């Protein structure tokens, strides 16, 4: 059985609903929270990259304007697992909310990767790495590569501290998501 994690945002783009499955998924990823703590929180308080925010805004506007159900794939990895997910975004006219329903398509275990751990125990360096919010590729030496390849290329496990991670969007995911937005 495939469990779907759901959250909704109101017209002001504040979180208006989170399902029990959404809360459980957050807890599995090291983020213990409650519905009360999430309700009213701005959606963009957890999306710091401006380009990713822009794409979300475009997709939300399209869902609201057309009533279409938008569907796209993305990655949501944990330190020891790669996870391929599918998102369905739809406008709920009765409540003036946009619903985000995510489901796990497949998962593959991998060796523990502290670079993507929510609460890393190692200290951080001033170095900042960009990670795609959608596919989890990392920008390493001018190329977007899988996390494991970035760790090898940048010799991260040999370092005493890990770089900080900033989330953005790689060119391939940007093109894919913008083409979704413009295909109305």
């Amino acid at each position: 059985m495939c469990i779907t994690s759901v959250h909704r945002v109101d017209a002001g783009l504040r979180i208006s609903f989170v399902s029990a499955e959404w809360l459980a998924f957050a807890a599995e990823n090291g983020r213990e929270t409650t519905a009360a703590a999430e309700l009213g929180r701005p959606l963009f308080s957890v999306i710091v990259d401006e380009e990713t925010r822009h794409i979300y805004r475009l997709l939300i506007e399209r869902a609201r304007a057309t009533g279409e159900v938008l569907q796209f794939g993305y990655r949501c990895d944990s330190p020891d697992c790669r996870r391929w997910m599918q998102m369905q975004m739809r406008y709920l006219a009765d409540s003036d909310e946009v619903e985000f329903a995510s489901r796990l398509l497949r998962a593959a275990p991998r060796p523990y990767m502290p670079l993507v751990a929510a609460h890393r125990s190692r200290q951080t360096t001033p170095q900042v790495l960009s990670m795609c919010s959608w596919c989890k590729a990392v920008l390493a030496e001018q190329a977007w590569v899988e996390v494991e390849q970035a760790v090898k290329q940048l010799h991260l496990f040999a370092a005493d501290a890990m770089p900080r991670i900033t989330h953005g969007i790689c060119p391939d995911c940007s093109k894919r998501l913008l083409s979704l937005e413009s295909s109305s």
Side-chain angles (χ1 to χ4, degrees):
M1 181 172 121
C2 186
I3 296 174
T4 300
S5 161
V6 175
H7 69 285
R8 296 182 190 132
V9 296
D10 62 20
L13 300 181
R14 293 189 174 279
I15 296 173
S16 56
F17 172 81
V18 292
S19 67
E21 294 79 12
W22 187 94
L23 292 168
F25 191 78
E28 285 175 24
N29 288 286
R31 189 163 182 276
E32 294 287 336
T33 189
T34 64
E38 298 301 322
L39 298 181
R41 183 179 194 184
L43 174 64
F44 294 129
S45 69
V46 294
I47 303 172
V48 295
D49 174 68
E50 193 53 45
E51 190 173 0
T52 303
R53 286 179 178 189
H54 176 69
I55 288 172
Y56 261 105
R57 280 187 191 101
L58 291 172
L59 294 173
I60 290 167
E61 287 171 15
R62 178 168 175 208
R64 284 183 180 281
T66 67
E68 291 179 51
V69 175
L70 306 178
Q71 184 170 287
F72 51 88
Y74 69 100
R75 289 264 298 271
C76 187
D77 293 357
S78 70
D80 59 357
C81 186
R82 288 185 192 92
R83 292 186 293 223
W84 289 265
M85 310 283 290
Q86 182 177 64
M87 169 83 71
Q88 282 193 344
M89 186 184 295
R90 68 186 178 119
Y91 178 57
L92 306 173
D94 292 345
S95 60
D96 197 24
E97 295 171 302
V98 175
E99 180 177 86
F100 302 81
S102 295
R103 68 184 179 98
L104 178 66
L105 298 175
R106 72 181 196 277
R110 68 165 172 215
Y112 183 79
M113 189 63 49
L115 188 62
V116 294
H119 303 290
R120 296 185 297 255
S121 57
R122 297 174 85 179
Q123 292 189 15
T124 59
T125 68
Q127 180 185 13
V128 178
L129 289 180
S130 292
M131 178 180 281
C132 179
S133 295
W134 304 91
C135 71
K136 300 305 179 215
V138 174
L139 183 59
E141 299 171 350
Q142 308 297 320
W144 289 91
V145 298
E146 285 288 328
V147 171
E148 292 82 358
Q149 187 177 342
V151 167
K152 286 178 188 173
Q153 274 181 240
L154 302 172
H155 308 286
L156 295 178
F157 285 143
D160 292 329
M162 287 290 194
R164 292 176 294 135
I165 302 294
T166 184
H167 286 83
I169 187 164
C170 71
D172 290 342
C173 288
S174 182
K175 286 178 201 163
R176 179 175 56 91
L177 290 162
L178 286 172
S179 71
L180 220 190
E181 193 279 327
S182 65
S183 66
S184 51

